[in-house]
Amino acid sequence: MMISRNRKLTILGVGLLASTLSFAVSAHSLHAKIGAYPGTKTTVTGHVSVHFDKKDMTVKYNLKGLKPVNDGGLHIHVGTSCKEADKVGGHYFSPKSGGDYWKSAQWVSDSKGRAKGSFRLISGLDYKANLGHAVVIHDASGARIGCGILEK
């Protein structure tokens, strides 16, 4: 009787471990250190992190050096380099998801030119698909003012 009880506990323990590992595999984060966009003299700096859970993503940002009390966009782009402006490309999105959802991804700066916040998107593109892609910060006119590469 005691042997059978121990076996049940062992099986239960393995089952819990397997479900914990399964969750860990489905959720990942990437991070980008933001600096000036190539060819500009902007002073934008900061960090962007993107947490993936299946095909959903949560983008968190902490930026400074922006125009005070202003807004702009924050988007993942097709390119995989911030060294040359012509290699950054346009917004990176899955056509199956119903269009360019990045158009709604915005930051708002405070009176000191800082922006901190987060937003959630259903992107259709997971962790692996976004690894190594450029994150671009746009000003209110749409000009590209900051760039960083998503890394582990």
Side-chain angles (χ1 to χ4, degrees):
M1 197 76 79
M2 188 172 229
I3 293 172
S4 134
R5 187 178 286 178
N6 285 340
R7 283 186 185 160
K8 286 181 184 177
L9 289 176
T10 302
I11 292 170
L12 176 62
V14 169
L16 290 173
L17 178 62
S19 83
T20 302
L21 290 175
S22 171
F23 174 75
V25 169
S26 68
H28 295 286
S29 293
L30 296 172
H31 310 275
K33 182 178 178 183
I34 303 298
Y37 190 81
T40 67
K41 294 181 181 182
T42 58
T43 58
V44 177
T45 60
H47 291 81
V48 172
S49 64
V50 184
H51 177 79
F52 297 89
D53 186 13
K54 299 183 183 175
K55 302 290 183 185
D56 296 352
M57 66 171 67
T58 300
V59 179
K60 293 182 181 180
Y61 56 91
N62 189 351
L63 307 170
K64 52 187 170 179
L66 302 163
K67 285 187 179 180
V69 192
N70 213 323
D71 63 12
L74 186 161
H75 316 119
I76 298 175
H77 279 238
V78 172
T80 57
S81 175
C82 287
K83 293 180 181 175
E84 297 177 49
D86 61 346
K87 293 192 176 180
V88 177
H91 297 173
Y92 184 49
F93 60 93
S94 171
K96 295 177 184 174
S97 66
D100 186 355
Y101 45 79
W102 287 111
K103 292 178 182 179
S104 64
Q106 298 281 314
W107 55 263
V108 176
S109 63
D110 63 16
S111 62
K112 295 181 181 179
R114 297 179 184 162
K116 185 176 182 178
S118 67
F119 54 85
R120 187 170 175 85
L121 293 171
I122 300 172
S123 74
L125 296 167
D126 63 8
Y127 169 88
K128 284 184 181 183
N130 282 279
L131 179 63
H133 281 268
V135 174
V136 175
I137 309 303
H138 298 267
D139 68 12
S141 73
R144 298 173 181 194
I145 58 172
C147 192
I149 302 297
L150 288 171
E151 301 174 326
K152 294 180 185 180

